[in-house]
Amino acid sequence: MIRVLAVLAAVAAAAAPERAGAPRPLACPAGTERGGAAPPEGYEEWCEAKVKDVPDARRRHGPARVYYDDGRLWVEESFTDGVRDGRFVEWHRNGARAREGAFAAGSKQGRWTIWTEDGTVAEESEWR
């Protein structure tokens, strides 16, 4: 139940930012800290939590974003205890959506769609 709530919170926090403007600040779940930096200071930002019983160890937990070198959003995804878990969206350099789907405990889950740069659906698949 707690894991489900954490995933739902991360998905809500990671709703797609507007591509034309600067994305809103990354909202990390309670008990986590922000790592990395958004443009112009950096090209990747994420939320991370301490690993129990391992000094100075951290793992990704919550939303994460990767940016192109021009500052546009490239990938938006979510992690649970260091593993991809939740919504995943990737954009082409021109701003068009490239891939969208979801992960469950590190594995693709449900419907995944891939688009060409002109917005045409190139592939749809269902993962279990």
Side-chain angles (χ1 to χ4, degrees):
M1 179 69 167
I2 292 173
R3 181 170 179 260
V4 170
L5 292 175
V7 169
L8 290 175
V11 168
E18 292 188 31
R19 292 280 295 160
R24 70 196 172 293
L26 196 65
C28 292
T32 65
E33 296 177 0
R34 189 170 163 235
E41 292 81 26
Y43 295 103
E44 187 173 8
E45 61 181 335
W46 61 88
C47 299
E48 61 185 18
K50 292 181 179 178
V51 177
K52 287 184 179 180
D53 303 324
V54 182
D56 300 324
R58 298 182 169 279
R59 65 174 62 147
R60 291 184 183 202
H61 188 84
R65 295 181 187 142
V66 180
Y67 299 88
Y68 283 109
D69 55 1
D70 65 2
R72 289 179 179 243
L73 189 57
W74 180 6
V75 173
E76 193 166 36
E77 59 189 331
S78 186
F79 290 83
T80 300
D81 293 325
V83 177
R84 281 182 170 154
D85 196 46
R87 183 172 174 262
F88 176 94
V89 182
E90 179 181 358
W91 286 272
H92 291 288
R93 267 194 182 274
N94 69 2
R97 203 165 286 238
R99 286 191 298 164
E100 184 172 14
F103 284 92
S107 297
K108 287 182 176 181
Q109 187 70 34
R111 177 171 296 283
W112 277 74
T113 306
I114 299 172
W115 292 270
T116 61
E117 287 186 61
D118 69 5
T120 304
V121 173
E123 182 181 324
E124 289 184 313
S125 57
E126 191 72 32
W127 292 78
R128 291 186 226 155

